[in-house]
């Protein structure tokens, strides 16, 4: 094996490059706005929380084997699954949309407001885990107040729609009555939404904020 000793010139070039990188990094950092910094810190915080949760679960598995005290690693109640700082639960019973919304509303919860790809992927994963016949679930989205004006149950407007556009949804299909289709379900397999009559009966997805770990 041959070792190449750095010459004075090479060391000088290396130092220049390193100093250049440091200066560039410092300038880039200084150019960040507080908002950018906040977003970066939030991402790092979420990443650390995910890492903590994983380590906590590994610890608890080991603790179980050693009869040591087990930590609570979840920020969600038993039977709920977590996505970022939110908890979700898929029901096993089937109700119409309004009954489902009322059931979820007990205890300050609500029908699911699905805004992200991660939430849709988690719903698909949980749906596959629990098995069963159904893959369509009520979500907290309706245009019952004004046709075509879709709103979430918290009155927020729809910003990231995931309608199944290949099936021309939402189509307010009138084949099941003049009321059309004013309530939305998510198809967990295609991770897309359909509008359907609110009187239909489906399982539901409830949502609540996660309780931070202590
Ligand atoms: Ca409609
Ligand atoms: Ca439809």
């Amino acid at each position: 094996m041959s070792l190449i000793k750095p010459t004075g010139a090479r060391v000088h070039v290396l130092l220049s490059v390193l100093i250049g990188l440091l200066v560039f990094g410092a300038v880039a950092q200084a150019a960040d706005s507080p908002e950018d910094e906040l977003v970066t810190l939030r991402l790092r915080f979420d990443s650390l929380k995910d890492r903590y949760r994983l380590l906590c679960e590994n610890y608890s598995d080991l603790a179980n084997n050693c009869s040591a005290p087990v930590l609570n690693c979840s920020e969600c109640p038993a039977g709920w699954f977590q996505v970022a700082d939110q908890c979700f639960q898929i029901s096993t019973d089937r109700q119409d949309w309004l009954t489902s919304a009322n059931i979820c509303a007990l205890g300050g919860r609500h029908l699911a407001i699905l805004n992200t790809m991660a939430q849709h992927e988690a719903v698909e994963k949980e749906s596959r885990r629990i098995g069963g016949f159904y893959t369509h679930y009520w979500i907290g989205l309706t245009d019952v107040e004004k046709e075509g004006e879709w709103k979430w149950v918290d009155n927020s407007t729809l910003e990231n729609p995931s309608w199944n556009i290949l099936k021309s949804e939402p189509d307010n299909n009138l084949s099941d009555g003049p009321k059309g289709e004013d309530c939305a379900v998510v198809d967990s397999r295609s991770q897309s939404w359909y509008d359907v009559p609110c009187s239909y009966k489906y399982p539901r997805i409830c949502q609540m904020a996660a309780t931070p770990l202590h």
Side-chain angles (χ1 to χ4, degrees):
M1 188 171 66
S2 68
L3 288 173
I4 301 172
K5 284 188 178 178
T7 64
R10 272 202 193 113
V11 170
H12 181 74
V13 170
L14 275 172
L15 278 174
S16 299
V17 170
L18 277 174
I19 290 168
L21 284 172
L22 284 171
V23 170
F24 175 78
V27 169
Q29 199 163 9
D32 279 351
S33 68
E35 289 78 15
D36 290 339
E37 199 173 345
L38 192 64
V39 169
T40 306
L41 285 173
R42 179 77 215 178
L43 287 172
R44 287 170 63 188
F45 179 63
D46 287 344
S47 169
L48 279 173
K49 275 206 305 184
D50 289 343
R51 178 83 181 131
Y52 171 82
R53 198 175 303 124
L54 189 67
L55 285 171
C56 184
E57 286 166 2
N58 289 346
Y59 171 86
S60 287
D61 284 345
L62 279 173
N64 254 332
N65 292 338
C66 308
S67 303
V70 177
L71 293 174
N72 173 28
C73 305
S74 175
E75 297 169 274
C76 296
W80 293 63
F81 59 98
Q82 186 169 352
V83 185
D85 59 354
Q86 297 292 307
C87 306
F88 298 87
Q89 183 191 46
I90 293 179
S91 76
T92 50
D93 63 306
R94 293 182 299 133
Q95 307 288 344
D96 61 43
W97 187 88
L98 189 58
T99 305
S100 301
N102 287 335
I103 291 173
C104 283
L106 296 171
R109 297 157 185 180
H110 56 80
L111 271 177
I113 296 173
L114 302 181
N115 279 319
T116 68
M117 182 73 80
Q119 290 169 343
H120 283 89
E121 285 172 355
V123 165
E124 181 184 6
K125 189 174 168 190
E126 177 68 2
S127 173
R128 288 183 189 278
R129 190 189 69 79
I130 61 178
F133 180 74
Y134 293 99
T135 56
H136 290 68
Y137 307 97
W138 287 127
I139 57 175
L141 188 63
T142 177
D143 73 339
V144 73
E145 282 185 11
K146 189 176 177 190
E147 180 53 38
E149 200 170 285
W150 290 92
K151 279 192 171 179
W152 291 112
V153 282
D154 66 352
N155 272 331
S156 57
T157 49
L158 183 55
E159 289 185 354
N160 298 308
S162 297
W163 296 112
N164 192 326
I165 48 175
L166 294 176
K167 299 276 177 70
S168 304
E169 298 287 332
D171 58 358
N172 199 46
N173 196 310
L174 299 174
S175 62
D176 275 326
K179 285 186 176 174
E181 301 180 317
D182 294 342
C183 294
V185 288
V186 60
D187 171 13
S188 59
R189 296 295 161 95
S190 64
Q191 299 184 13
S192 64
W193 308 339
Y194 292 71
D195 63 346
V196 295
C198 300
S199 58
Y200 279 17
K201 292 190 173 179
Y202 286 106
R204 64 193 167 276
I205 307 174
C206 294
Q207 179 180 355
M208 63 185 286
T211 306
L213 288 167
H214 297 293

